[in-house]
Amino acid sequence: MEAQNQTADDVFTPVATLEGHRDRVWSVAWRPQGDILVSSSGDKSIHVWGKEGDRWVLKDVLDDAHERTIRRVSFSPNGKYLVSASFDASCKVWELRDGSFKRLAVLEGHENEVKGAAFDSSGSLIATCSRDKSVWIWEMESEREFVCLSVLSGHTQDVKNVVWHPSQELLVSCSYDDTLKVWLDDEDDWFCSETLSAHKSTVWDAAFERSEGRLLASCCDDGSVIVWEYTTPARKPSSFDAEGQTKCFQQLTNMAGVHPRSVYAVDWTQGNVLATACADDAVRVIAFDREAKTFNLKGTKSKAHSADVNCVRWCPTDPTLLASAGDDNTVKLWRVKL
């Protein structure tokens, strides 16, 4: 169910337009402390943004951080480390030290472009995914040494992104094969516990609701956004049913018809509110009612960017502050009325 959309001016107030990238901006990530925003681009750089007084300014540029496009950036839970994923088939781990980022390690092994990378809730594991159809699990053995614990095969096409549950060692991967896969650890033996197959086209992104991780949103090339409920703890491989998989995720609703084009990113903030990034150059804010299993389109910011919007991320310490990244080479900040 979709309620009447408010005007964009009622919901979105522009805060800042952050310029400096020389190519499309693929990804943004907030430091958990909310004081730093980083962005990654086709220009092979990572830009570091921070606040000076009432203004957001460019603090640092990691030029040529990779040899090709940097598709994704993500912070560790303690905000000390940043991981970047690149089309050069590598990931790099950066340490925030004395106010600047220093390269700590290079994670190599994928055969093709790396599309996503993310730390788990403990900060000791990193998941990476690639065009080579695989997901890798890395463990930080020491501050400068990472080892690959497992290579997960199961997707039949390019893997677009990986997201961790906010408190459990549960990983979800999104793929060009139209599915999401749920991965669990059984004494260092990672396995696919469930495949979510409700989407009809490429699944670009997914996000867990942050407080309990009971809701998962996924977005698709066909413009749909599906909300899933994580219902029960997954069982071990020895207790699988005849089909060989558990059923821990239940589809609650499909927000079909809200977006006229591909949805590239989703993210939750407080009150079960979603932001979406769409190929129609717009950013949308959608409230989800978990009990009624209905949704309300609270606002659409048309022409949020002058080209495709690739990413949206809510500030973890300021739940009404939203960052977006676009093909117009900019990052924008919005104050959103929830």
Side-chain angles (χ1 to χ4, degrees):
M1 178 184 298
E2 178 186 347
Q4 186 174 357
N5 186 21
Q6 300 181 57
T7 64
D9 292 340
D10 291 338
V11 178
F12 295 90
T13 301
V15 173
T17 297
L18 308 181
E19 299 177 316
H21 281 294
R22 302 179 304 278
D23 202 334
R24 69 187 62 184
V25 186
W26 282 109
S27 176
V28 287
W30 292 95
R31 188 167 182 246
Q33 291 82 351
D35 57 336
I36 291 173
L37 178 71
V38 298
S39 54
S40 68
S41 169
D43 64 13
K44 302 181 287 186
S45 76
I46 297 171
H47 284 203
V48 182
W49 311 91
K51 202 171 185 183
E52 291 185 355
D54 293 331
R55 298 174 59 244
W56 284 86
V57 299
L58 182 62
K59 293 285 194 177
D60 196 7
V61 177
L62 306 181
D63 265 325
D64 295 322
H66 284 267
E67 296 178 4
R68 293 181 62 191
T69 290
I70 305 173
R71 183 63 179 88
R72 192 96 44 191
V73 280
S74 182
F75 274 99
S76 63
N78 64 6
K80 184 178 180 181
Y81 303 106
L82 177 76
V83 62
S84 55
S86 172
F87 287 3
D88 66 10
S90 76
C91 289
K92 293 184 180 180
V93 181
W94 309 81
E95 182 183 15
L96 183 58
R97 190 189 319 145
D98 299 325
S100 61
F101 287 92
K102 311 296 183 184
R103 195 180 77 182
L104 196 67
V106 181
L107 310 182
E108 296 179 303
H110 282 291
E111 297 176 2
N112 300 108
E113 295 100 319
V114 184
K115 301 296 183 71
F119 283 91
D120 78 329
S121 60
S122 73
S124 63
L125 298 179
I126 296 175
T128 62
C129 64
S130 169
R131 186 182 174 187
D132 65 13
K133 309 175 189 177
S134 70
V135 175
W136 290 41
I137 307 293
W138 307 80
E139 183 176 36
M140 181 186 290
E141 284 201 331
S142 65
E143 196 171 63
R144 293 182 177 273
E145 185 175 356
F146 292 78
V147 295
C148 180
L149 294 180
S150 188
V151 176
L152 310 179
S153 301
H155 285 293
T156 60
Q157 298 290 339
D158 185 353
V159 187
K160 297 297 186 182
N161 200 16
V162 282
V163 293
W164 290 94
H165 188 277
S167 62
Q168 301 177 22
E169 282 193 1
L170 181 152
L171 180 71
V172 173
S173 55
C174 317
S175 176
Y176 189 72
D177 66 11
D178 307 348
T179 72
L180 302 99
K181 288 187 180 292
V182 182
W183 307 90
L184 292 170
D185 174 32
D186 180 23
E187 298 178 356
D188 292 331
D189 182 16
W190 287 84
F191 64 96
C192 179
S193 68
E194 190 168 354
T195 299
L196 308 180
S197 303
H199 285 291
K200 305 303 180 186
S201 189
T202 300
V203 186
W204 285 103
D205 192 23
F208 278 102
E209 174 272 322
R210 299 179 188 180
S211 61
E212 297 180 334
R214 292 291 302 277
L215 298 177
L216 175 74
S218 56
C219 61
C220 183
D221 201 57
D222 65 8
S224 65
V225 175
I226 292 179
V227 177
W228 313 80
E229 184 175 30
Y230 176 47
T231 53
T232 59
R235 294 169 285 168
K236 299 296 184 181
S238 58
S239 62
F240 274 2
D241 57 22
E243 287 73 31
Q245 293 195 333
T246 62
K247 298 296 180 186
C248 296
F249 286 83
Q250 175 187 0
Q251 181 178 333
L252 296 184
T253 191
N254 186 337
M255 299 179 186
V258 175
H259 304 87
R261 297 185 64 187
S262 303
V263 183
Y264 293 131
V266 289
D267 198 32
W268 293 96
T269 190
Q270 69 178 16
N272 293 340
V273 174
L274 273 174
T276 63
C278 188
D280 67 351
D281 312 342
V283 172
R284 290 172 176 82
V285 174
I286 305 167
F288 178 68
D289 187 325
R290 179 175 164 187
E291 298 302 321
K293 302 179 183 179
T294 58
F295 61 91
N296 171 20
L297 178 59
K298 295 177 68 68
T300 300
K301 182 59 179 178
S302 300
K303 297 299 178 183
H305 290 261
S306 60
D308 291 4
V309 186
N310 296 316
C311 188
V312 282
R313 293 293 181 261
W314 295 99
C315 179
T317 59
D318 187 346
T320 65
L321 183 61
L322 179 69
S324 61
D327 274 2
D328 59 3
N329 304 357
T330 70
V331 174
K332 295 191 178 184
L333 299 179
W334 311 92
R335 180 64 63 187
V336 181
K337 182 180 178 182
L338 300 180

